[in-house]
Amino acid sequence: MQKSFSVSQVSQLAGVSVRTLHHYDQIGLLTPLRRQDNGYRCYSELHLVKLQQILLYRQLDFSLEQIRDMMQAPDFDALSALQQQHALLLSKLDATKQMINNIEVAMTIAQGKQNMQIFFSSLPQDKAEQWQQDFASQFAEPGEYDTALQAIGNVSAAQSQHLTQAFDDWVAKYLPLLALPVQAEAVQQQVLQHLALQNGFLSQMMLDETYEGMTCDTFLVLTEALIEEELARNMYAHYDPALPEHLYEAMMYFAEHSFKPAPEQYRFIGVEKANS
């Protein structure tokens, strides 16, 4: 004698609602037996097997009508139906992956915008807003600004806060040295620290594993920006009008007397600290 199960028991065993079981009964997809003593619905073990098949097809995104045809029509081509559904699901999977990728890009860009707020958090609001606008205006081609924000967004909020604090600490140590010649040891040590900050930030923007370290040529480009790019010059001059030129001269001295003679010694300076 086969064991029978009540509607509530099947609901618990299969993880479906009682309402769903009633609906399957109404459309003729899974018709239960009727108990002779009270007329209540009951299900056999064969019903449970059939229900598992139904639930499998539902997971494959078949409609209830398709499932009913597959399970009731003796000449229904189940293999062909499964193949079609397989192709459909693969198509949906590709679309879903693209949606996920688009969302991840949007999230990274949003993180980049948040990081920009963090980087300028210690500055007066009017200057922060103006310099963010100036930064955005540097990108003439459509999408370039979003690409830049996406790179900045690779840095976490916590890392951005750490970098901002580290830069503020660096400024506080460098400003008292402005009266010294750029070749002074104390000045050159702060140039080295500045290089470490730049290198660490770039490595985090490029997700570290793809970052090949800062070459001396890249270092020189960043050095020239202190004088040639108005935004960079203004940002450093905010702390002291003499800072951009003094730091420029100090970095040029460092490039000529330290970086060029031993590029591998300085190429990854600061990257290990950024990864920790």
Side-chain angles (χ1 to χ4, degrees):
M1 182 177 178
Q2 285 195 355
K3 184 177 180 180
S4 64
F5 303 87
S6 67
V7 176
S8 60
Q9 287 175 323
V10 173
S11 173
Q12 293 178 353
L13 288 170
V16 297
S17 68
V18 171
R19 183 177 180 180
T20 296
L21 292 173
H22 286 169
H23 181 62
Y24 289 173
D25 182 14
Q26 291 172 357
I27 65 174
L29 183 57
L30 186 68
T31 305
L33 303 173
R34 292 286 179 173
R35 294 177 61 95
Q36 293 182 351
D37 55 349
N38 55 22
Y40 289 169
R41 294 180 177 90
C42 66
Y43 296 85
S44 67
E45 292 175 339
L46 291 177
H47 282 102
L48 293 180
V49 173
K50 187 175 182 180
L51 178 57
Q52 290 303 315
Q53 290 179 308
I54 294 170
L55 296 178
L56 172 61
Y57 288 134
R58 288 297 289 151
Q59 288 182 337
L60 295 176
D61 212 21
F62 281 93
S63 69
L64 293 178
E65 291 74 14
Q66 288 175 312
I67 297 171
R68 184 174 57 198
D69 290 341
M70 291 173 62
M71 300 185 70
Q72 293 181 358
D75 59 345
F76 189 84
D77 190 348
L79 176 58
S80 177
L82 286 169
Q83 288 173 336
Q84 293 176 11
Q85 201 67 14
H86 180 260
L88 177 61
L89 288 172
L90 287 178
S91 175
K92 288 184 177 181
L93 178 61
D94 290 339
T96 300
K97 287 181 178 178
Q98 185 60 50
M99 289 177 62
I100 292 173
N101 180 71
N102 292 342
I103 291 173
E104 288 177 345
V105 169
M107 289 170 58
T108 308
I109 290 174
Q111 180 65 58
K113 292 179 179 179
Q114 179 180 333
N115 289 346
M116 292 289 289
Q117 297 288 337
I118 294 172
F119 295 150
F120 292 110
S121 60
S122 62
L123 300 175
Q125 184 175 357
D126 57 338
K127 286 189 175 182
E129 292 177 352
Q130 182 59 55
W131 288 344
Q132 289 183 70
Q133 293 175 9
D134 292 344
F135 176 74
S137 66
Q138 292 179 331
F139 304 94
E141 296 298 323
E144 285 186 344
Y145 180 51
D146 281 349
T147 299
L149 287 176
Q150 188 176 356
I152 296 172
N154 288 329
V155 185
S156 70
Q159 290 170 327
S160 298
Q161 291 171 346
H162 173 75
L163 287 167
T164 301
Q165 184 60 55
F167 181 78
D168 289 344
D169 292 344
W170 174 84
V171 170
K173 293 177 181 177
Y174 196 98
L175 292 182
L177 306 178
L178 289 175
L180 297 179
V182 296
Q183 65 269 29
E185 178 64 22
V187 174
Q188 288 299 296
Q189 283 297 316
Q190 288 308 307
V191 171
L192 180 62
Q193 181 60 31
H194 188 261
L195 167 60
L197 291 174
Q198 291 176 310
N199 221 7
F201 181 55
L202 288 174
S203 69
Q204 291 170 4
M205 284 176 59
M206 299 179 187
L207 300 180
D208 300 336
E209 66 270 17
T210 61
Y211 185 58
E212 298 179 355
M214 185 181 296
T215 65
C216 187
D217 287 341
T218 301
F219 179 77
L220 287 171
V221 169
L222 295 174
T223 302
E224 294 289 345
L226 288 170
I227 300 300
E228 295 181 358
E229 294 188 11
E230 183 179 1
L231 176 59
R233 185 173 65 252
N234 289 340
M235 289 176 64
Y236 279 85
H238 163 74
Y239 299 98
D240 191 295
L243 179 56
E245 185 174 352
H246 190 277
L247 179 59
Y248 167 80
E249 296 293 343
M251 290 174 70
M252 292 297 291
Y253 184 91
F254 179 85
E256 187 64 31
H257 294 84
S258 298
F259 211 150
K260 283 184 180 180
E264 293 304 315
Q265 179 178 347
Y266 301 104
R267 184 172 180 176
F268 289 99
I269 190 77
V271 174
E272 181 177 355
K273 183 176 181 180
N275 290 340
S276 59

